[in-house]
Amino acid sequence: MKPIRKAVFPVGGLGTRFLPATKALPKEMLPVVDKPLIEYAVEEARAAGIEEFVFVTSRGKTAIQNHFDSHLELEYALREKGRDSELSAITNAVGAPGQFAYVRQMEPLGLGHAVWTARNFIGNEPFAVLLADDLISGEPGALSEMSEVHNEYGGNVIALMEVAPAETARYGVVAPGTDDGRVVEVLDLVEKPDPAEAPSNLAIVGRYILQPEVLDFLALGETGAGGEIQLTDSMARLIGGAPFSGVRISGTRYDCGTKIGFLEANVAFALERDDLGGDIFARLEQVLESHRPDA
Ligand code: G1P
């Protein structure tokens, strides 16, 4: 089985849900505690063995490029002051020269179009796609779990989670076949179905391991839900060729594309940290107590 070496990060979205914060700042640079969302996704990819990273960007996203570049002046200043932990916090993100590439999507035509825009970088090998909005906690990372399944079954692998049946219209949804509780055979995929038409309540989380043939279908440029070129529709056309598996991820997924999910992630990740000082749990309890609606 060929190991997965390349990952695509679609980061072209406008982030309108987070205005005014995202007027001049890419939404992927919003911090969860003190690290930008996109860095969590890059770390998860690195932990799964990814060596080459391509970002599908748009106008106004240069802060992402700067974040993964070296910053010699800042590094020098931190080194001079002996601020070792801050120094490693900024150098950890930086890749080797040539490891990070950026392509412009040019037109906001959908997730499928964003992935297709990266085709020359992907070439003819299986690749991963990570949506930074879906922040996933837990060890091992979701992409590592999927990589294990890919090693075993080959083909295409997507991350899954169960959602409330009423919420299917927000996700790509799977028609499941055999299911061992962890790995689910994928018989069909539908993007954003109404609850009445959804084949299950197993939804796609923004992590994918895909065979390069998906690019041939994406190249057709056919539009689907919301008038966009959907990745899900081209993935559905792969079913029946190579194996197609879903993996129920063991970590918790936070929908950082919404304000409430982003807030939840900040609280959860802060509670996991032991370097924030003070009793953060008690402080958050105080905040909740003083804001109780019936107080
Ligand atoms: C995208 C995918 C969808 C998937 C979701 C996960 O939708 O199209 O299949 O379930 O990400 O977050 P979006 O959230 O971009 O509308």
Side-chain angles (χ1 to χ4, degrees):
M1 199 64 59
K2 272 194 200 167
I4 311 297
R5 300 186 309 115
K6 297 183 178 180
V8 178
F9 299 82
V11 293
L14 285 175
T16 45
R17 286 196 186 133
F18 285 90
L19 286 169
T22 48
K23 185 182 173 194
L25 180 78
K27 67 170 173 166
E28 298 79 11
M29 289 301 294
L30 292 173
V32 170
V33 186
D34 51 10
K35 200 189 285 180
L37 269 173
I38 187 66
E39 194 175 336
Y40 289 97
V42 165
E43 280 180 348
E44 186 188 318
R46 275 209 180 99
I50 298 296
E51 293 165 3
E52 294 180 35
F53 304 78
V54 66
F55 296 76
V56 182
T57 69
S58 60
R59 191 172 299 279
K61 299 282 182 168
T62 44
I64 298 175
Q65 304 193 23
N66 290 336
H67 187 72
F68 293 104
D69 193 1
S70 52
H71 186 332
L72 298 178
E73 201 180 333
L74 182 58
E75 286 166 30
Y76 177 81
L78 293 172
R79 199 170 291 116
E80 284 289 288
K81 293 189 173 113
R83 307 276 293 266
D84 294 339
S85 66
E86 287 89 348
L87 181 61
S88 57
I90 65 156
T91 51
N92 280 346
V94 176
Q99 242 189 346
F100 285 67
Y102 301 87
V103 292
R104 288 261 193 138
Q105 190 178 359
M106 294 166 78
E107 284 180 282
L109 298 180
L111 176 60
H113 178 260
V115 171
W116 176 78
T117 301
R119 66 196 175 283
N120 291 333
F121 167 89
I122 295 164
N124 193 28
E125 58 181 287
F127 61 99
V129 178
L130 294 94
L131 309 186
D133 276 1
D134 282 338
L135 176 59
I136 305 170
S137 66
E139 287 284 326
L143 193 64
S144 298
E145 292 182 325
M146 295 164 66
S147 194
E148 243 177 61
V149 173
H150 179 259
N151 287 339
E152 199 175 325
Y153 296 85
N156 303 283
V157 183
I158 52 178
L160 298 177
M161 66 173 187
E162 282 177 30
V163 298
E167 288 188 354
T168 55
R170 291 177 47 200
Y171 300 98
V173 176
V174 163
T178 57
D179 181 348
D180 71 5
R182 187 176 74 100
V183 182
V184 179
E185 181 191 8
V186 175
L187 298 181
D188 198 6
L189 290 164
V190 191
E191 182 66 12
K192 302 197 168 70
D194 284 336
E197 270 127 50
S200 75
N201 68 332
L202 272 177
I204 305 174
V205 181
R207 300 290 184 275
Y208 310 79
I209 292 175
L210 298 173
Q211 298 301 313
E213 287 72 28
V214 75
L215 298 169
D216 300 335
F217 294 117
L218 289 171
L220 303 174
E222 288 171 10
T223 54
E228 297 189 350
I229 301 173
Q230 296 289 355
L231 180 58
T232 302
D233 295 343
S234 286
M235 292 195 307
R237 297 171 83 162
L238 295 173
I239 297 167
F244 207 125
S245 318
V247 187
R248 285 191 177 81
I249 52 166
S250 64
T252 305
R253 173 258 191 185
Y254 298 93
D255 182 2
C256 290
T258 66
K259 283 174 200 161
I260 185 73
F262 178 71
L263 187 66
E264 251 182 284
N266 266 287
V267 172
F269 276 67
L271 288 169
E272 294 282 318
R273 293 269 295 258
D274 48 19
D275 63 327
L276 292 183
D279 186 348
I280 181 166
F281 196 86
R283 304 243 322 238
L284 289 175
E285 269 185 333
Q286 268 175 23
V287 174
L288 290 176
E289 201 47 48
S290 61
H291 288 77
R292 227 174 251 295
D294 53 358

